[in-house]
């Protein structure tokens, strides 16, 4: 094969690969991000919801008796609970019916696989979901290998005079700024400072899943709620997701 | 005058440099492998599942959403909120706030639970040093409190706990001058470790500096609601 032929073959291959990549990219993008009409429809819903509460604080949703009844049940207990407002992109930390803190979300996305229609499975707001397990990270286990016997001569009393001098502690591990919270409903709540992963990462994930399926390993891919937060906010609320924590999920009212 | 190009043989100028035989073979194999890999990846990606973005659901109105019903339910919700004198503790920021009749009257830097886990090597028992979240009430207040040290205080030091009631378990120093008991062993108290205020370093209790603790102790009656988050 002459050099010219080799060059032509390589050029043909790379051109074909580039075209194939563009085709797949368009397909994957359209799968991940709905078309303009869907996005516009979503914005319309949001605007309609804001308009419906004209005169109230912008964070407030239009009241519904079902939502208030659900919140009454949560607020009548002493536990902390969260209110996730999908429409206005706000996560409120609440106790006894009042918001003690809130996080403004940069973006909220609902994602699912093998969903023929773009309707969230088993999500009919207002609804109360509970955290199934804590997010991973930040739980160092301190375990002395053995315990020495307590001796009466060995006092553990603190000396008031020197205690403040001895008060040094290694800086704690940094709280994660991206994590996943499994919910009892089967959904996965994901908090991260950035949006969905870039196209190459999505393609790689899809290829990995394809490989696993070819090998007969069908692992579940739960539906996800992606909450895009700032790094500081993600760290600030990490400790609130304890097993059993209730999340009241709200959504815009129909326009 | 002669130019440089004039010295180069014509054949050398017109023919591009040729790859040696081994180079051509390597390039061909590499191209083939690249093609196979790309095809395989595209095939796998097509076989794999892809997350699709869903539309936000909408809340359907109910026939019970009348103004009277909403007013009644809202009133019940408002009635649950704390009023009068109450405390709020932001465990992440390390801040205690005192409210009186809805007005913020004092802020204090505090330490809260580290979230660390301690395991007893003898029994496997776990202690999680979290500060509880949600609402608590001040159950009792004590001046010059004595801390009855629990087992974990010894296990943490690598020591077997002495029997219950042992004099060493009585610690009159660590809790500072005042203690406000919130139940289940959780206490708002003072600290010897003033330099650690603001950090998540405790075993679940709330440590407060001396002056702020004196203020909280004097102004907070028993039964006061404490919201921790």
């Amino acid at each position: 094969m002459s050099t010219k032929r080799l060059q032509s073959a390589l050029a043909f291959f790379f051109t074909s690969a580039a075209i194939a990549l563009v085709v797949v990219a368009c397909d994957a993008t359209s799968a991940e991000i709905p078309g303009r009409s869907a996005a516009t429809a979503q914005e319309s819903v949001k605007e309609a919801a804001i308009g419906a509460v004209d005169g109230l604080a912008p964070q407030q949703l239009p009241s519904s008796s079902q939502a208030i009844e659900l919140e009454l049940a949560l607020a009548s207990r002493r536990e902390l609970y969260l209110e996730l407002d999908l429409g206005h992109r706000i996560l409120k930390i609440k106790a006894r019916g009042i918001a003690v803190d809130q996080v403004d979300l940069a973006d909220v996305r609902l994602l699912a696989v093998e969903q023929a229609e773009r309707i969230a499975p088993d999500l009919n707001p207002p609804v109360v979901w509970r955290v199934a397990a804590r997010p991973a990270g930040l739980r160092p286990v301190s375990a002395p290998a053995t315990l020495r016997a307590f001796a009466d001569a060995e006092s553990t009393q603190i000396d008031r005079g020197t205690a403040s001098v001895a008060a040094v502690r290694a800086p704690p591990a940094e709280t994660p700024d991206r994590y996943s919270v499994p919910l009892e409903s089967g959904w996965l709540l994901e908090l991260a400072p950035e949006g969905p992963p870039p196209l190459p990462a999505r393609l790689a994930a899809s290829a990995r899943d394809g490989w696993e399926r070819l090998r007969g390993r069908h692992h579940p891919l739960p539906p996800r709620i992606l909450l895009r937060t700032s790094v500081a906010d993600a760290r600030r609320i990490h400790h609130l997701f304890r097993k059993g924590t209730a999340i009241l999920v709200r959504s815009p009212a129909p326009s | 005058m002669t130019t440089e190009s004039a010295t180069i043989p014509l054949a050398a100028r017109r023919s591009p440099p040729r790859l040696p035989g081994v180079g051509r073979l390597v390039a061909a194999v590499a191209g083939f492998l690249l093609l196979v890999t790309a095809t395989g990846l595209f095939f796998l990606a097509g076989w794999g599942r892809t997350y699709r973005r869903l539309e936000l659901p909408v809340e359907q109105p109910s026939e019970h959403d009348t103004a009277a019903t909403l007013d009644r339910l809202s009133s019940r919700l408002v009635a649950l909120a704390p009023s009068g004198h109450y405390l709020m503790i932001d465990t992440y920021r390390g801040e205690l706030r005192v409210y009186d009749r809805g007005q913020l009257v004092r802020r204090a830097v505090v330490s809260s639970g580290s979230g660390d886990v301690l395991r007893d090597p003898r029994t496997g028992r776990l202690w999680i040093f979290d500060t509880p979240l949600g609402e608590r009430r001040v159950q009792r207040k004590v001046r010059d409190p004595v801390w009855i040290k629990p087992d974990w205080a010894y296990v943490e030091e690598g020591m077997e706990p002495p029997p219950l009631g042992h004099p060493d378990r009585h610690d009159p120093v660590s809790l500072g001058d005042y203690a406000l008991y919130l139940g289940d062993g959780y206490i708002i108290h003072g600290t010897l470790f003033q330099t650690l205020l603001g950090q998540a370093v405790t075993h679940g209790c709330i440590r407060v500096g001396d002056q702020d603790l004196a203020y909280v102790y004097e102004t907070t009656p028993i039964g006061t609601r404490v919201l921790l988050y």
Side-chain angles (χ1 to χ4, degrees), chain A residues 1 13 32 65 78 96 110 112 118 134 139-140 142 148 152 156-157 206 209 219 222 242 250-252 254, chain B residues 24 35 45 49 51-55 57 59 65 88 115-117 119 128 130-131 135 149 158 160 166 168 170:
Chain A
M1 185 192 294
F13 167 71
E32 186 72 26
S65 57
R78 67 180 192 180
R96 293 295 192 188
L110 306 182
R118 296 190 188 277
R134 288 173 184 257
R139 302 204 72 82
S142 169
R148 63 183 185 279
D152 282 334
T156 62
Q157 300 293 327
S206 192
D209 182 56
H219 59 281
R242 297 182 182 176
R250 303 284 318 265
S251 201
Chain B
R24 275 185 287 171
L35 182 64
R49 293 162 292 179
Y51 273 99
R52 289 162 56 97
R53 186 174 178 180
L54 309 175
E55 291 180 9
E59 287 188 10
D65 291 350
M88 291 182 75
D116 291 353
V117 181
R119 187 172 60 81
I128 301 176
D130 277 331
T131 294
E135 187 192 77
K149 295 169 77 169
E160 287 183 8
H166 190 282
D168 192 77
H170 293 246

Short mmCIF file of all heavy atoms in Angstrom, two decimals, chain A residues 1 13 32 65 78 96 110 112 118 134 139-140 142 148 152 156-157 206 209 219 222 242 250-252 254, chain B residues 24 35 45 49 51-55 57 59 65 88 115-117 119 128 130-131 135 149 158 160 166 168 170:
data_model
loop_
_atom_site.label_atom_id
_atom_site.label_comp_id
_atom_site.label_asym_id
_atom_site.label_seq_id
_atom_site.Cartn_x
_atom_site.Cartn_y
_atom_site.Cartn_z
N MET A 1 0.85 -1.20 0.00
CA MET A 1 0.00 0.00 0.00
C MET A 1 0.89 1.25 0.00
O MET A 1 1.83 1.36 0.79
CB MET A 1 -0.87 -0.01 1.24
CG MET A 1 -1.86 1.13 1.26
SD MET A 1 -2.62 1.31 2.89
CE MET A 1 -3.55 -0.19 2.99
N PHE A 13 -11.27 6.83 7.62
CA PHE A 13 -11.65 6.25 8.91
C PHE A 13 -11.99 7.36 9.92
O PHE A 13 -13.02 7.31 10.60
CB PHE A 13 -10.52 5.38 9.46
CG PHE A 13 -10.71 5.02 10.90
CD1 PHE A 13 -11.69 4.12 11.27
CD2 PHE A 13 -9.94 5.61 11.88
CE1 PHE A 13 -11.89 3.79 12.59
CE2 PHE A 13 -10.14 5.29 13.21
CZ PHE A 13 -11.11 4.38 13.56
N GLU A 32 -30.66 12.92 26.98
CA GLU A 32 -30.41 13.48 28.32
C GLU A 32 -31.17 14.79 28.53
O GLU A 32 -31.71 15.05 29.58
CB GLU A 32 -28.90 13.73 28.47
CG GLU A 32 -28.48 14.17 29.84
CD GLU A 32 -28.56 13.03 30.82
OE1 GLU A 32 -28.45 11.87 30.41
OE2 GLU A 32 -28.75 13.32 32.01
N SER A 65 -54.48 21.39 50.09
CA SER A 65 -54.83 20.79 51.38
C SER A 65 -54.05 19.51 51.61
O SER A 65 -53.63 19.21 52.73
CB SER A 65 -56.34 20.51 51.43
OG SER A 65 -56.71 19.69 50.35
N ARG A 78 -41.26 15.77 66.46
CA ARG A 78 -40.15 16.69 66.76
C ARG A 78 -38.98 16.54 65.80
O ARG A 78 -38.00 17.28 65.90
CB ARG A 78 -39.69 16.47 68.20
CG ARG A 78 -39.04 15.14 68.47
CD ARG A 78 -38.63 15.04 69.92
NE ARG A 78 -37.75 13.91 70.15
CZ ARG A 78 -37.24 13.58 71.32
NH1 ARG A 78 -37.54 14.30 72.39
NH2 ARG A 78 -36.44 12.55 71.45
N ARG A 96 -41.16 21.75 62.92
CA ARG A 96 -42.37 22.33 63.50
C ARG A 96 -43.05 23.34 62.57
O ARG A 96 -43.57 24.36 63.01
CB ARG A 96 -42.05 22.99 64.84
CG ARG A 96 -41.61 22.01 65.92
CD ARG A 96 -42.72 21.07 66.29
NE ARG A 96 -42.43 20.31 67.51
CZ ARG A 96 -43.18 19.33 67.95
NH1 ARG A 96 -44.25 18.95 67.27
NH2 ARG A 96 -42.88 18.69 69.05
N LEU A 110 -34.97 15.44 36.82
CA LEU A 110 -35.45 14.09 37.08
C LEU A 110 -34.97 13.22 35.93
O LEU A 110 -35.17 13.56 34.77
CB LEU A 110 -36.98 14.05 37.15
CG LEU A 110 -37.67 15.01 38.11
CD1 LEU A 110 -39.17 14.80 38.06
CD2 LEU A 110 -37.16 14.82 39.52
N ALA A 112 -34.44 9.08 34.42
CA ALA A 112 -34.78 7.66 34.57
C ALA A 112 -34.38 6.93 33.29
O ALA A 112 -34.24 7.54 32.23
CB ALA A 112 -36.28 7.49 34.83
N ARG A 118 -41.84 10.66 29.07
CA ARG A 118 -41.04 11.50 29.97
C ARG A 118 -41.83 11.84 31.24
O ARG A 118 -41.94 12.98 31.64
CB ARG A 118 -40.61 12.77 29.25
CG ARG A 118 -39.69 12.50 28.08
CD ARG A 118 -39.10 13.78 27.55
NE ARG A 118 -38.37 13.55 26.32
CZ ARG A 118 -37.10 13.13 26.26
NH1 ARG A 118 -36.45 12.87 27.36
NH2 ARG A 118 -36.51 12.95 25.10
N ARG A 134 -27.76 6.85 55.08
CA ARG A 134 -26.94 8.05 55.01
C ARG A 134 -26.10 8.04 53.73
O ARG A 134 -25.72 6.97 53.25
CB ARG A 134 -25.96 8.09 56.17
CG ARG A 134 -26.55 8.37 57.52
CD ARG A 134 -25.45 8.20 58.55
NE ARG A 134 -25.92 8.36 59.90
CZ ARG A 134 -25.72 9.46 60.64
NH1 ARG A 134 -25.08 10.48 60.13
NH2 ARG A 134 -26.17 9.55 61.87
N ARG A 139 -17.27 9.21 58.10
CA ARG A 139 -17.59 8.58 59.37
C ARG A 139 -16.40 7.75 59.83
O ARG A 139 -16.43 6.52 59.78
CB ARG A 139 -18.85 7.73 59.25
CG ARG A 139 -20.06 8.53 58.80
CD ARG A 139 -21.33 7.88 59.21
NE ARG A 139 -21.53 8.00 60.64
CZ ARG A 139 -22.02 9.07 61.23
NH1 ARG A 139 -22.30 10.13 60.53
NH2 ARG A 139 -22.19 9.10 62.53
N PRO A 140 -15.36 8.41 60.25
CA PRO A 140 -14.18 7.67 60.69
C PRO A 140 -14.50 6.81 61.90
O PRO A 140 -15.15 7.27 62.84
CB PRO A 140 -13.16 8.76 61.04
CG PRO A 140 -13.89 10.04 61.02
CD PRO A 140 -15.23 9.84 60.42
N SER A 142 -13.25 4.92 65.05
CA SER A 142 -12.13 4.84 65.97
C SER A 142 -12.29 3.55 66.76
O SER A 142 -13.31 3.34 67.41
CB SER A 142 -12.16 6.05 66.91
OG SER A 142 -11.26 5.85 67.96
N ARG A 148 -6.98 -1.56 77.82
CA ARG A 148 -6.22 -1.94 79.02
C ARG A 148 -7.16 -1.88 80.22
O ARG A 148 -8.14 -1.11 80.23
CB ARG A 148 -5.02 -1.01 79.22
CG ARG A 148 -5.36 0.44 79.46
CD ARG A 148 -4.08 1.28 79.58
NE ARG A 148 -4.38 2.66 79.92
CZ ARG A 148 -4.75 3.60 79.06
NH1 ARG A 148 -4.90 3.29 77.78
NH2 ARG A 148 -5.00 4.83 79.46
N ASP A 152 -7.38 1.69 89.53
CA ASP A 152 -7.83 2.75 90.41
C ASP A 152 -6.82 3.88 90.51
O ASP A 152 -7.18 5.04 90.69
CB ASP A 152 -8.12 2.19 91.81
CG ASP A 152 -9.46 1.47 91.83
OD1 ASP A 152 -10.32 1.82 91.00
OD2 ASP A 152 -9.64 0.55 92.64
N THR A 156 -8.71 9.48 85.37
CA THR A 156 -8.97 10.08 84.06
C THR A 156 -9.50 11.49 84.20
O THR A 156 -9.96 12.09 83.24
CB THR A 156 -10.00 9.25 83.27
OG1 THR A 156 -11.22 9.25 84.00
CG2 THR A 156 -9.52 7.84 83.06
N GLN A 157 -9.45 12.02 85.41
CA GLN A 157 -9.97 13.36 85.64
C GLN A 157 -9.13 14.39 84.89
O GLN A 157 -7.91 14.29 84.81
CB GLN A 157 -9.97 13.68 87.14
CG GLN A 157 -10.82 12.73 87.98
CD GLN A 157 -12.31 12.88 87.67
OE1 GLN A 157 -12.78 13.97 87.35
NE2 GLN A 157 -13.05 11.80 87.74
N SER A 206 -22.69 4.40 29.54
CA SER A 206 -23.62 3.61 28.74
C SER A 206 -22.92 2.35 28.20
O SER A 206 -23.49 1.26 28.19
CB SER A 206 -24.14 4.47 27.59
OG SER A 206 -25.21 3.84 26.96
N ASP A 209 -22.53 -0.09 31.00
CA ASP A 209 -23.81 -0.76 31.27
C ASP A 209 -24.09 -1.80 30.19
O ASP A 209 -24.54 -2.91 30.48
CB ASP A 209 -24.93 0.28 31.32
CG ASP A 209 -26.27 -0.35 31.66
OD1 ASP A 209 -26.35 -1.01 32.71
OD2 ASP A 209 -27.22 -0.22 30.87
N HIS A 219 -27.90 -4.95 36.58
CA HIS A 219 -27.96 -4.18 37.83
C HIS A 219 -28.99 -3.06 37.66
O HIS A 219 -29.12 -2.48 36.58
CB HIS A 219 -26.60 -3.62 38.20
CG HIS A 219 -26.01 -2.72 37.17
ND1 HIS A 219 -25.38 -3.20 36.04
CD2 HIS A 219 -25.98 -1.38 37.07
CE1 HIS A 219 -24.98 -2.19 35.31
NE2 HIS A 219 -25.33 -1.07 35.90
N PRO A 222 -31.58 3.09 39.34
CA PRO A 222 -32.76 3.72 39.91
C PRO A 222 -33.01 5.10 39.29
O PRO A 222 -32.07 5.75 38.83
CB PRO A 222 -32.40 3.87 41.39
CG PRO A 222 -30.91 3.90 41.42
CD PRO A 222 -30.45 3.04 40.28
N ARG A 242 -30.05 11.73 57.33
CA ARG A 242 -29.90 10.56 58.20
C ARG A 242 -31.02 9.58 57.88
O ARG A 242 -32.07 9.98 57.36
CB ARG A 242 -29.97 10.98 59.67
CG ARG A 242 -28.84 11.93 60.05
CD ARG A 242 -28.87 12.30 61.50
NE ARG A 242 -27.79 13.24 61.80
CZ ARG A 242 -27.60 13.82 62.97
NH1 ARG A 242 -28.41 13.56 63.98
NH2 ARG A 242 -26.59 14.65 63.15
N ARG A 250 -42.54 18.59 46.67
CA ARG A 250 -43.59 19.43 46.08
C ARG A 250 -43.27 19.70 44.62
O ARG A 250 -42.13 19.59 44.20
CB ARG A 250 -43.70 20.77 46.83
CG ARG A 250 -43.95 20.70 48.32
CD ARG A 250 -45.39 20.37 48.66
NE ARG A 250 -46.38 21.05 47.86
CZ ARG A 250 -46.99 22.19 48.20
NH1 ARG A 250 -46.68 22.78 49.32
NH2 ARG A 250 -47.91 22.72 47.42
N SER A 251 -44.27 20.09 43.90
CA SER A 251 -44.08 20.39 42.48
C SER A 251 -45.05 21.48 42.08
O SER A 251 -46.02 21.76 42.81
CB SER A 251 -44.32 19.11 41.67
OG SER A 251 -43.71 19.22 40.42
N PRO A 252 -44.82 22.10 40.94
CA PRO A 252 -45.74 23.18 40.54
C PRO A 252 -47.16 22.67 40.34
O PRO A 252 -47.37 21.52 39.96
CB PRO A 252 -45.17 23.68 39.23
CG PRO A 252 -43.81 23.12 39.13
CD PRO A 252 -43.78 21.89 39.96
N PRO A 254 -50.70 22.78 38.20
CA PRO A 254 -50.94 22.97 36.76
C PRO A 254 -51.32 24.41 36.45
O PRO A 254 -51.96 25.08 37.27
CB PRO A 254 -52.11 22.01 36.49
CG PRO A 254 -52.76 21.79 37.81
CD PRO A 254 -51.67 21.91 38.84
N ARG B 24 4.45 1.07 8.10
CA ARG B 24 3.14 0.96 7.44
C ARG B 24 2.30 -0.12 8.10
O ARG B 24 1.11 0.04 8.33
CB ARG B 24 3.33 0.64 5.95
CG ARG B 24 3.54 1.89 5.12
CD ARG B 24 3.60 1.55 3.67
NE ARG B 24 4.86 0.89 3.34
CZ ARG B 24 5.12 0.32 2.17
NH1 ARG B 24 4.20 0.29 1.25
NH2 ARG B 24 6.29 -0.23 1.94
N LEU B 35 -10.45 1.19 14.88
CA LEU B 35 -11.77 1.02 14.26
C LEU B 35 -12.60 0.00 15.03
O LEU B 35 -13.77 0.21 15.34
CB LEU B 35 -11.59 0.57 12.81
CG LEU B 35 -12.87 0.40 11.99
CD1 LEU B 35 -13.58 1.72 11.84
CD2 LEU B 35 -12.57 -0.20 10.63
N ALA B 45 -22.45 1.06 23.83
CA ALA B 45 -23.22 2.23 24.27
C ALA B 45 -24.67 2.11 23.81
O ALA B 45 -25.60 2.50 24.51
CB ALA B 45 -22.58 3.51 23.74
N ARG B 49 -28.08 1.18 28.81
CA ARG B 49 -29.22 2.05 29.06
C ARG B 49 -28.75 3.48 29.27
O ARG B 49 -27.67 3.71 29.83
CB ARG B 49 -29.98 1.57 30.29
CG ARG B 49 -30.67 0.22 30.09
CD ARG B 49 -31.04 -0.42 31.39
NE ARG B 49 -29.87 -0.82 32.15
CZ ARG B 49 -29.93 -1.40 33.34
NH1 ARG B 49 -31.10 -1.61 33.91
NH2 ARG B 49 -28.83 -1.75 33.96
N TYR B 51 -29.85 7.37 30.71
CA TYR B 51 -30.82 8.15 31.48
C TYR B 51 -31.46 9.20 30.59
O TYR B 51 -30.78 9.87 29.82
CB TYR B 51 -30.13 8.83 32.67
CG TYR B 51 -30.05 7.95 33.90
CD1 TYR B 51 -28.90 7.25 34.20
CD2 TYR B 51 -31.14 7.83 34.75
CE1 TYR B 51 -28.82 6.45 35.33
CE2 TYR B 51 -31.08 7.02 35.87
CZ TYR B 51 -29.92 6.33 36.16
OH TYR B 51 -29.86 5.54 37.27
N ARG B 52 -32.77 9.31 30.70
CA ARG B 52 -33.52 10.34 29.98
C ARG B 52 -34.06 11.34 30.97
O ARG B 52 -34.47 10.97 32.07
CB ARG B 52 -34.71 9.72 29.22
CG ARG B 52 -34.32 8.90 28.03
CD ARG B 52 -35.48 8.00 27.65
NE ARG B 52 -36.70 8.73 27.41
CZ ARG B 52 -37.14 9.08 26.20
NH1 ARG B 52 -36.43 8.78 25.15
NH2 ARG B 52 -38.28 9.72 26.06
N ARG B 53 -34.06 12.57 30.58
CA ARG B 53 -34.60 13.61 31.46
C ARG B 53 -36.12 13.58 31.39
O ARG B 53 -36.70 13.49 30.31
CB ARG B 53 -34.10 14.99 31.05
CG ARG B 53 -34.51 16.07 32.01
CD ARG B 53 -33.87 17.39 31.65
NE ARG B 53 -34.32 18.43 32.56
CZ ARG B 53 -33.93 19.67 32.49
NH1 ARG B 53 -33.07 20.04 31.55
NH2 ARG B 53 -34.37 20.57 33.34
N LEU B 54 -36.74 13.67 32.56
CA LEU B 54 -38.20 13.61 32.64
C LEU B 54 -38.77 15.00 32.90
O LEU B 54 -38.09 15.88 33.43
CB LEU B 54 -38.62 12.68 33.79
CG LEU B 54 -37.98 11.29 33.80
CD1 LEU B 54 -38.40 10.54 35.05
CD2 LEU B 54 -38.38 10.51 32.56
N GLU B 55 -40.01 15.16 32.54
CA GLU B 55 -40.68 16.43 32.84
C GLU B 55 -41.07 16.45 34.31
O GLU B 55 -41.34 15.41 34.92
CB GLU B 55 -41.93 16.58 31.97
CG GLU B 55 -41.59 16.80 30.51
CD GLU B 55 -42.84 16.94 29.67
OE1 GLU B 55 -43.94 17.05 30.25
OE2 GLU B 55 -42.71 16.94 28.44
N PRO B 57 -43.37 16.63 37.33
CA PRO B 57 -44.80 16.36 37.53
C PRO B 57 -45.49 17.60 38.08
O PRO B 57 -44.85 18.52 38.59
CB PRO B 57 -44.79 15.23 38.56
CG PRO B 57 -43.50 15.37 39.27
CD PRO B 57 -42.52 15.97 38.32
N GLU B 59 -48.67 19.13 40.61
CA GLU B 59 -49.57 18.78 41.71
C GLU B 59 -51.01 19.01 41.26
O GLU B 59 -51.36 20.10 40.83
CB GLU B 59 -49.27 19.65 42.93
CG GLU B 59 -47.98 19.27 43.63
CD GLU B 59 -47.80 20.02 44.94
OE1 GLU B 59 -48.74 20.70 45.40
OE2 GLU B 59 -46.69 19.94 45.49
N ASP B 65 -59.58 21.74 48.31
CA ASP B 65 -58.76 22.95 48.38
C ASP B 65 -59.61 24.22 48.43
O ASP B 65 -59.41 25.14 47.64
CB ASP B 65 -57.80 23.00 47.17
CG ASP B 65 -56.73 21.94 47.26
OD1 ASP B 65 -56.61 21.31 48.32
OD2 ASP B 65 -56.01 21.75 46.27
N MET B 88 -32.31 28.16 68.78
CA MET B 88 -32.05 27.44 67.53
C MET B 88 -30.55 27.20 67.44
O MET B 88 -29.76 28.10 67.72
CB MET B 88 -32.54 28.24 66.33
CG MET B 88 -34.05 28.33 66.26
SD MET B 88 -34.65 29.21 64.82
CE MET B 88 -34.38 27.98 63.59
N GLY B 115 -19.74 13.47 64.55
CA GLY B 115 -20.19 12.46 63.59
C GLY B 115 -19.27 11.26 63.54
O GLY B 115 -19.50 10.32 62.78
N ASP B 116 -18.22 11.26 64.35
CA ASP B 116 -17.29 10.12 64.37
C ASP B 116 -17.98 8.88 64.96
O ASP B 116 -18.98 8.99 65.67
CB ASP B 116 -16.06 10.44 65.22
CG ASP B 116 -15.18 11.50 64.54
OD1 ASP B 116 -15.48 11.86 63.40
OD2 ASP B 116 -14.22 11.95 65.19
N VAL B 117 -17.41 7.75 64.64
CA VAL B 117 -17.94 6.48 65.15
C VAL B 117 -16.86 5.81 66.01
O VAL B 117 -15.69 5.74 65.60
CB VAL B 117 -18.32 5.54 63.99
CG1 VAL B 117 -18.88 4.23 64.54
CG2 VAL B 117 -19.34 6.20 63.08
N ARG B 119 -15.90 2.27 68.15
CA ARG B 119 -16.29 0.87 68.30
C ARG B 119 -15.58 0.27 69.51
O ARG B 119 -14.38 0.45 69.69
CB ARG B 119 -15.95 0.07 67.04
CG ARG B 119 -16.47 -1.37 67.06
CD ARG B 119 -16.27 -2.03 65.71
NE ARG B 119 -14.89 -2.09 65.30
CZ ARG B 119 -14.01 -3.02 65.72
NH1 ARG B 119 -14.41 -3.96 66.57
NH2 ARG B 119 -12.77 -3.02 65.31
N ILE B 128 -22.20 6.52 67.79
CA ILE B 128 -22.10 7.53 66.74
C ILE B 128 -22.27 8.90 67.41
O ILE B 128 -23.31 9.16 68.02
CB ILE B 128 -23.18 7.33 65.66
CG1 ILE B 128 -23.04 5.94 65.04
CG2 ILE B 128 -23.07 8.40 64.58
CD1 ILE B 128 -24.12 5.60 64.03
N ASP B 130 -23.22 11.93 66.98
CA ASP B 130 -24.03 12.93 66.28
C ASP B 130 -24.78 13.78 67.30
O ASP B 130 -25.22 13.27 68.33
CB ASP B 130 -25.09 12.23 65.42
CG ASP B 130 -24.54 11.79 64.08
OD1 ASP B 130 -23.60 12.43 63.58
OD2 ASP B 130 -25.06 10.80 63.54
N THR B 131 -24.97 15.02 66.95
CA THR B 131 -25.91 15.85 67.70
C THR B 131 -27.31 15.54 67.17
O THR B 131 -27.48 15.47 65.94
CB THR B 131 -25.58 17.34 67.51
OG1 THR B 131 -24.30 17.61 68.11
CG2 THR B 131 -26.62 18.23 68.15
N GLU B 135 -36.49 18.95 67.24
CA GLU B 135 -36.84 19.73 68.43
C GLU B 135 -36.58 18.95 69.72
O GLU B 135 -36.88 17.77 69.82
CB GLU B 135 -38.31 20.12 68.39
CG GLU B 135 -38.68 21.07 69.52
CD GLU B 135 -40.18 21.24 69.65
OE1 GLU B 135 -40.84 20.32 70.18
OE2 GLU B 135 -40.68 22.28 69.21
N LYS B 149 -19.49 9.97 83.70
CA LYS B 149 -18.85 9.54 82.45
C LYS B 149 -19.40 8.19 81.99
O LYS B 149 -19.39 7.21 82.73
CB LYS B 149 -17.34 9.45 82.65
CG LYS B 149 -16.72 10.81 82.94
CD LYS B 149 -15.30 10.70 83.40
CE LYS B 149 -14.37 10.44 82.26
NZ LYS B 149 -12.96 10.59 82.70
N GLY B 158 -8.97 4.00 75.26
CA GLY B 158 -8.34 2.69 75.21
C GLY B 158 -8.34 1.99 76.56
O GLY B 158 -7.45 1.20 76.86
N GLU B 160 -10.67 0.00 79.74
CA GLU B 160 -11.92 -0.67 80.12
C GLU B 160 -12.67 0.22 81.11
O GLU B 160 -12.07 0.75 82.03
CB GLU B 160 -11.62 -2.02 80.76
CG GLU B 160 -11.16 -3.07 79.77
CD GLU B 160 -10.94 -4.42 80.45
OE1 GLU B 160 -11.30 -4.54 81.64
OE2 GLU B 160 -10.42 -5.32 79.79
N HIS B 166 -18.46 4.01 90.11
CA HIS B 166 -17.06 4.20 90.50
C HIS B 166 -16.76 5.71 90.60
O HIS B 166 -17.23 6.48 89.76
CB HIS B 166 -16.16 3.54 89.45
CG HIS B 166 -14.72 3.45 89.88
ND1 HIS B 166 -13.86 4.53 89.83
CD2 HIS B 166 -13.99 2.42 90.38
CE1 HIS B 166 -12.67 4.16 90.27
NE2 HIS B 166 -12.73 2.88 90.62
N ASP B 168 -14.34 7.44 89.78
CA ASP B 168 -13.68 8.05 88.62
C ASP B 168 -14.68 8.50 87.57
O ASP B 168 -14.38 9.33 86.71
CB ASP B 168 -12.70 7.07 87.99
CG ASP B 168 -11.80 7.76 86.98
OD1 ASP B 168 -10.85 8.46 87.41
OD2 ASP B 168 -12.09 7.65 85.76
N HIS B 170 -17.25 10.21 88.09
CA HIS B 170 -17.79 11.52 88.46
C HIS B 170 -16.78 12.60 88.08
O HIS B 170 -15.71 12.68 88.65
CB HIS B 170 -18.11 11.57 89.96
CG HIS B 170 -19.23 10.66 90.34
ND1 HIS B 170 -20.44 11.12 90.81
CD2 HIS B 170 -19.35 9.31 90.28
CE1 HIS B 170 -21.25 10.09 91.03
NE2 HIS B 170 -20.60 8.98 90.72
#
